[in-house]
Amino acid sequence: MARSHHAAMILANLFVFAVLLTSGASGCGSPPPAAKIGGFPEDIPVYDGLVKDYTSDSGPLLVVNGSTTDDTAKVAAFYRERLPANGWTEGSDPAQREPGTEALIFSKGQAKLVIRASKDQEKTRVSLQVEGYDGATRNPA
């Protein structure tokens, strides 16, 4: 039992180190630059520390799905802070949501971005879906 606990602690420490290494934390008071994914649009930040489990960065619908241990309100606040600085305008989502679930809609030109964050046991599942981007340049149409 002690051996499995030791192995789990090593894995947990490696995970924390990897998150810190990839988050670009600078300690200078301003938020670190958000992560970028291959062909995903650069003006859409990927949530800091998101553990990605699915990415589709080609085609008419671009998608990033993953999870974080942060709560849904923190995920929503991240996007409400970062996206307007990149020219995105927040719209409204008329659908009713369950408590603990955030659904955000942003637009920029003809592009539409839908962000959903929902609690799934101890994790928050995050989904980003953007459509209406020019596939060659990843600029809003």
Side-chain angles (χ1 to χ4, degrees):
M1 183 156 143
R3 180 176 227 164
S4 65
H5 177 72
H6 180 70
M9 290 303 297
I10 289 173
L11 286 174
N13 287 333
L14 286 173
F15 176 76
V16 169
F17 176 74
V19 168
L20 290 174
L21 184 64
T22 59
S23 71
S26 61
C28 65
S30 63
K36 301 293 179 207
I37 295 178
F40 207 74
E42 290 192 19
D43 62 344
I44 301 172
V46 176
Y47 187 74
D48 295 334
L50 185 73
V51 177
K52 294 170 281 303
D53 57 19
Y54 177 79
T55 301
S56 173
D57 59 5
S58 62
L61 181 64
L62 309 174
V63 178
V64 173
N65 291 334
S67 62
T68 179
T69 56
D70 293 338
D71 64 28
T72 58
K74 189 171 180 181
V75 173
F78 171 88
Y79 284 104
R80 285 187 170 121
E81 176 187 333
R82 301 272 180 114
L83 288 171
N86 291 340
W88 289 89
T89 303
E90 186 172 2
S92 62
D93 181 7
Q96 293 289 337
R97 298 285 167 223
E98 294 179 25
T101 298
E102 297 281 347
L104 308 172
I105 296 177
F106 288 86
S107 62
K108 184 176 184 180
Q110 295 298 314
K112 178 182 174 184
L113 170 63
V114 176
I115 302 165
R116 297 196 192 295
S118 59
K119 203 68 178 164
D120 182 20
Q121 298 188 14
E122 289 128 30
K123 295 182 181 181
T124 295
R125 303 288 308 152
V126 179
S127 174
L128 297 120
Q129 298 181 353
V130 64
E131 60 184 339
Y133 261 76
D134 175 346
T137 62
R138 294 291 185 248
N139 292 321

